[in-house]
Amino acid sequence: DNQNLKVIFIAGNEEFTQGKINYKEACKEAITKGIIINTIFCRNFNEGVNTFWKDGADLADGKYINIDQDQKAEQIDAPQDKEIIALGQKLNETYVGYGHQAEERKEMQKKQDTNAVSAGSASMVERSVAKASSNYSNVMWDIVDAEKDGKVKVEDLPEDQLPAEMKKMSKTERKAYIEKKKKERSELQAKIAKLKQDRDKYVTEQRKKITAKDTLDEAIINAVKQQAKSKNFQFDKDKK
């Protein structure tokens, strides 16, 4: 019908709601001139209502938009989570303790896993991924890491430094046993790394879907479209 759409967005302007400008009079005058006023409050929804941001929008046929910047990101469970956690538990089986503190350190490793489980599946996924990274090293008590780092040679370790399952092994058997554990760990780490990549892609896509409606640009676009349609405007994708 050839009419113009006049829309104003007000955000973060304390003068608008705290008396320096009489927002009620300004909004009423705006609407008599065909100007729609939308308000944007970037905190808690109810806080914006209580400080009259919604009231200003209502007076000028506008929309009150709330973007809660303090809202915590929603935890997203991924299809890969269970397998990552299971593989993370299998990693523990590849650790072969040495020295007098070995048992204590292995128990501590299990305790940290238990703490992660109690914090939720996302925490356990993060811990499993961390354990599979090159930064997770236990050279002071694990023979696999210590050999890799050149700290010890399993053939040279005294029998009283070895775990029970290795005490009666020959030097050749010890070496073969550690090589087997090293291979198992490497394979598990590679599987976890691949699953993490797939998980990251999945979480990114899901988060986009969840947050798309909560982003500022999306909120503004939706408000303008609704108000334009109320004035009989059409958008190309709406045309048959």
Side-chain angles (χ1 to χ4, degrees):
D1 55 9
N2 295 323
Q3 63 177 312
N4 293 321
L5 180 67
K6 302 173 184 177
V7 178
I8 294 175
F9 285 88
I10 297 177
N13 185 350
E14 293 184 355
E15 292 182 354
F16 179 68
T17 59
Q18 295 186 8
K20 294 183 180 179
I21 296 174
N22 189 318
Y23 79 91
K24 293 188 177 183
E25 291 182 4
C27 290
K28 289 178 182 178
E29 184 177 352
I31 200 61
T32 62
K33 297 180 180 179
I35 299 173
I36 297 171
I37 294 179
N38 300 292
T39 58
I40 304 170
F41 187 75
C42 297
R43 291 289 293 277
N44 178 271
F45 180 91
N46 289 329
E47 185 180 348
V49 173
N50 294 335
T51 51
F52 310 111
W53 288 86
K54 185 176 185 301
D55 189 40
D58 291 342
L59 288 170
D61 289 347
K63 182 176 178 62
Y64 166 58
I65 298 171
N66 157 245
I67 305 295
D68 193 346
Q69 59 193 16
D70 296 327
Q71 187 175 10
K72 293 183 179 179
E74 182 176 343
Q75 177 182 317
I76 297 175
D77 296 324
Q80 298 81 10
D81 288 356
K82 287 184 179 180
E83 189 172 359
I84 289 175
I85 292 171
L87 292 174
Q89 292 298 293
K90 284 187 177 181
L91 272 176
N92 289 356
E93 299 170 12
T94 70
Y95 283 85
V96 184
Y98 74 97
H100 301 298
Q101 292 185 339
E103 287 300 318
E104 181 183 343
R105 294 300 182 97
K106 284 206 74 160
E107 285 302 313
M108 188 179 297
Q109 186 183 55
K110 292 178 183 178
K111 183 178 180 180
Q112 292 300 325
D113 283 356
T114 301
N115 292 339
V117 169
S118 64
S121 61
S123 294
M124 192 56 195
V125 168
E126 289 178 8
R127 174 157 172 80
S128 298
V129 169
K131 282 161 59 178
S133 74
S134 59
N135 295 324
Y136 186 79
S137 178
N138 293 283
V139 297
M140 301 306 295
W141 65 270
D142 170 55
I143 298 176
V144 176
D145 280 342
E147 274 223 329
K148 183 179 178 181
D149 203 50
K151 296 290 185 183
V152 302
K153 287 186 178 181
V154 66
E155 306 97 307
D156 299 336
L157 284 172
E159 186 176 313
D160 66 349
Q161 296 283 304
L162 295 171
E165 68 270 22
M166 293 185 67
K167 287 183 181 297
K168 301 303 180 183
M169 290 182 182
S170 67
K171 290 186 177 182
T172 302
E173 288 171 334
R174 292 181 192 178
K175 187 67 176 175
Y177 184 77
I178 294 302
E179 286 298 321
K180 180 183 176 183
K181 293 296 182 182
K182 187 185 298 182
K183 182 181 178 183
E184 289 175 2
R185 187 180 302 177
S186 180
E187 290 173 349
L188 289 168
Q189 288 172 330
K191 288 179 181 178
I192 292 174
K194 177 60 171 63
L195 286 166
K196 180 186 181 300
Q197 287 183 345
D198 295 339
R199 185 185 191 278
D200 288 346
K201 290 179 183 177
Y202 177 85
V203 170
T204 298
E205 291 303 314
Q206 294 303 309
R207 201 172 295 286
K208 284 180 182 178
K209 293 177 183 178
I210 292 171
T211 60
K213 295 180 181 179
D214 296 329
T215 59
L216 180 58
D217 56 347
E218 192 73 17
I220 291 174
I221 290 169
N222 288 336
V224 171
K225 283 186 176 180
Q226 290 175 15
Q227 289 156 4
K229 286 178 181 179
S230 71
K231 301 292 185 180
N232 298 320
F233 281 80
Q234 284 189 320
F235 297 87
D236 289 340
K237 71 175 184 178
D238 295 327
K239 292 181 179 179
K240 301 297 183 181

